[in-house]
């Protein structure tokens, strides 16, 4: 008997992946969590029936959340990751020697626990002494930490369930206030094929708060449409003004110094969404 | 009752799309052809069970086959499209006023006939007086037309069925000989997530024939992995030396003058495939 995981990415379209083994299924306090071992993408974490990460393609998302902002800020010493309990973004942040401390705040401790157990290649750096892991509401955390962080990364689920408040203007204002004077934030902002309205709304809101707003993209095969957008809001520094020749070649598989600016060049229909 | 089209893009992974209506299913002389009306992507052409094009996302592929090469060649008067019977690439080629004549050679006349009937928004320019449509083997055509074309575009299926010969070194040599002295060719070369070996092989072969070889990418949601590669071989002109400020803003939805060079900046794991 063959078992397949099928995710409806929209009402009318989805992906399907052959399963070797289901490792975890649990209704946590906040969401339905599953870890499935798939033939094509290896172990896969899903929340509320949506792929969060897979061992085969996780590097794209995690590198592209972390490095564009960290190589735009001249001295990113204090970093906050909101969400991201699987630890993938933290792993990338730890590749930056300038980072003195990274704080991870995920609302769902079960994501952290199961990721450490079943996705050690992703979650391994959560035990790095430069990392502090907090199980709490990210929205509350930023409102309790004014003028604290150099870079804030929002690694949320889609705006359903516990992540709804992470797509509000109040949250972006809170992030602005939690950032120091040269601060930068970045958020995953879904895909332009099925969620054009979301991207438009987020951009409008972020532009009302941050003087510099830029959008970039990456290809993630297991995410809806395969094309993912990220929105960066910055108080001062512009990622497009970075001298790429000064970016070191990290141990990455997607991001590179050459890609730093190119990732911000959007297909025309995406440009039109964020004008 | 709900009907869904499911394509196994690999043995272990696929996409699935809700169907409104099946318009055509036919075993032609060369392949299994179907045109399906889907809820999410509109009408969809499949050959041998693989999505060739859909009304919703076809613009990406067709623009990205046509424009990078046409804006690299200084005077692309004579253009050949091998395959591409749906007419999408021809539609984009017709946006270039310098093109005096475009020849389409598809081995399967049924693709042309059904595309004109059911996909008029894609196939409409096949009746343009600057276009000559030939039903024939593209491999034979190029070998019978030495020193004839300024730009040759290979819009083939994946290397199964009738397209196998379009991924051979002999074919690339034939293309070289069919091009004039400043000639450029471009081919779709599948995706780097599931077909890394193919991309490596094509690049090795093309590099042995053409002095300038460049690779670029685009996001196509209904193609495997959502990330598609294109390989360009050029006798003289380098797409990365083009002055982007001189590229006019065409009526496109994906390609833009700004994207012309950025599309050639590859994710690191793709760079590594074509080194």
């Amino acid at each position: 008997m063959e078992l397949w995981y099928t995710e409806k990415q929209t009402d009318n379209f989805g992906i399907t992946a052959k399963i070797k083994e289901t490792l975890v299924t649990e209704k946590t306090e906040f969401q339905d969590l599953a870890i499935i071992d798939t033939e094509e993408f290896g172990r896969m974490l899903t929340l509320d029936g949506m792929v969060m990460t897979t061992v085969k393609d996780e590097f794209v998302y995690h590198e592209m959340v972390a490095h564009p902002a960290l190589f735009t800020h001249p001295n990113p010493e204090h970093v906050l990751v909101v969400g991201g309990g699987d630890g993938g973004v933290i792993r990338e942040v730890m590749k930056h020697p300038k980072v003195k401390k990274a704080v991870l705040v995920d609302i769902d401790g079960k994501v952290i626990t199961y990721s450490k157990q079943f996705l050690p290649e992703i979650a391994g750096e959560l035990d790095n002494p430069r990392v502090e892991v907090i199980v709490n509401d990210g929205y509350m955390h930023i409102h309790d930490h004014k003028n604290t962080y150099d870079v804030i990364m929002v690694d949320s689920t889609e705006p359903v369930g516990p992540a709804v408040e992470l797509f509000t203007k109040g949250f972006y204002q809170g992030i602005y206030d939690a950032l120091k004077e040269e601060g930068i934030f970045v958020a995953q902002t879904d895909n332009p094929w099925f969620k054009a309205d979301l991207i438009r709304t987020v951009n409008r809101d972020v532009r009302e708060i941050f003087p510099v707003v830029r959008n970039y993209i990456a290809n993630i095969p297991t995410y809806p449409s395969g094309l993912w957008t990220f929105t960066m809001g910055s108080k001062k520094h512009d990622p497009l003004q970075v001298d790429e020749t000064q970016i070191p070649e990290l141990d990455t598989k997607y991001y590179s110094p050459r890609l730093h600016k190119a990732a911000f060049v959007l297909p025309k229909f995406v440009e039109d969404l964020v004008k």
Side-chain angles (χ1 to χ4, degrees), chain A:
Chain A
M1 185 180 69
E2 286 191 358
L3 293 177
W4 288 70
Y5 163 85
T6 300
E7 175 184 334
K8 283 175 80 167
Q9 298 179 327
T10 74
D11 288 343
N12 301 311
F13 188 76
I15 56 169
T16 185
K18 194 172 169 187
I19 294 174
K20 279 190 211 173
E21 190 181 359
T22 301
L23 300 162
V24 180
T25 56
E26 181 166 330
K27 194 176 259 312
T28 76
E29 188 182 345
F30 300 98
Q31 50 207 345
D32 289 319
L33 181 157
I35 298 178
I36 302 162
D37 194 5
T38 71
E39 293 279 354
E40 188 65 58
F41 285 94
R43 291 184 177 189
M44 173 186 275
L45 168 68
T46 71
L47 295 176
D48 288 335
M50 295 176 287
V51 176
M52 289 297 109
T53 200
T54 81
V55 165
K56 183 170 174 177
D57 72 349
E58 56 90 7
F59 66 91
V60 183
Y61 177 80
H62 295 135
E63 291 178 12
M64 293 303 283
V65 170
H67 301 307
L70 289 172
F71 282 125
T72 298
H73 196 291
N75 195 25
E77 294 186 347
H78 294 93
V79 175
L80 171 66
V81 178
V82 177
D86 56 56
V89 169
I90 285 288
R91 183 194 61 205
E92 296 304 314
V93 172
M94 288 297 99
K95 292 179 180 173
H96 289 253
K98 284 180 179 170
V99 173
K100 290 181 178 167
K101 186 179 178 186
V103 176
L104 177 100
V105 180
D106 196 304
I107 201 168
D108 193 341
K110 292 284 190 181
V111 174
I112 298 164
T113 306
Y114 283 123
S115 296
K116 284 184 171 183
Q117 185 178 352
F118 290 104
L119 305 167
E121 58 278 78
I122 300 175
E125 291 293 321
L126 290 174
D127 294 322
N128 189 306
R130 286 190 287 154
V131 176
E132 179 184 1
V133 176
I134 298 172
V135 177
N136 197 358
D137 182 343
Y139 196 95
M140 297 303 297
H141 182 89
I142 61 153
H143 280 276
D144 290 343
H145 291 80
K146 308 288 186 207
N147 193 33
T148 303
Y149 295 106
D150 299 306
V151 177
I152 297 178
M153 301 170 183
V154 184
D155 175 8
S156 68
T157 58
E158 290 187 66
V160 292
V164 168
E165 64 184 8
L166 305 185
F167 287 84
T168 61
K169 198 171 167 192
F171 181 61
Y172 302 131
Q173 184 62 54
I175 285 178
Y176 185 93
D177 297 336
L179 286 168
K180 293 182 185 169
E181 63 179 341
E182 297 186 55
I184 299 174
F185 106 98
V186 63
Q188 72 83 5
T189 42
D190 220 307
N191 82 86
W193 288 94
F194 308 137
K195 295 290 184 68
D197 286 345
L198 173 74
I199 294 171
R200 268 195 215 96
T201 304
V202 168
N203 261 274
R204 190 195 59 211
D205 289 348
V206 174
R207 276 173 207 284
E208 289 179 14
I209 298 168
F210 285 86
V212 180
V213 181
R214 303 288 184 202
N215 303 271
Y216 62 97
I217 52 172
N219 157 254
I220 306 170
T222 57
Y223 283 12
S225 89
L227 183 66
W228 216 246
T229 74
F230 302 84
T231 301
M232 187 185 286
S234 176
K235 291 188 176 183
K236 178 178 175 189
H237 301 287
D238 185 343
L240 301 182
Q241 299 301 319
V242 168
D243 179 357
E244 288 182 322
T245 64
Q246 298 303 306
I247 300 177
E249 194 83 34
L250 292 185
D251 177 23
T252 54
K253 288 185 276 185
Y254 193 95
Y255 178 86
S256 74
R258 298 164 291 292
L259 198 76
H260 180 89
K261 288 178 190 168
F264 289 85
V265 182
L266 306 175
K268 207 161 166 179
F269 79 106
V270 185
E271 265 184 351
D272 289 343
L273 288 181
V274 299
K275 259 178 187 165

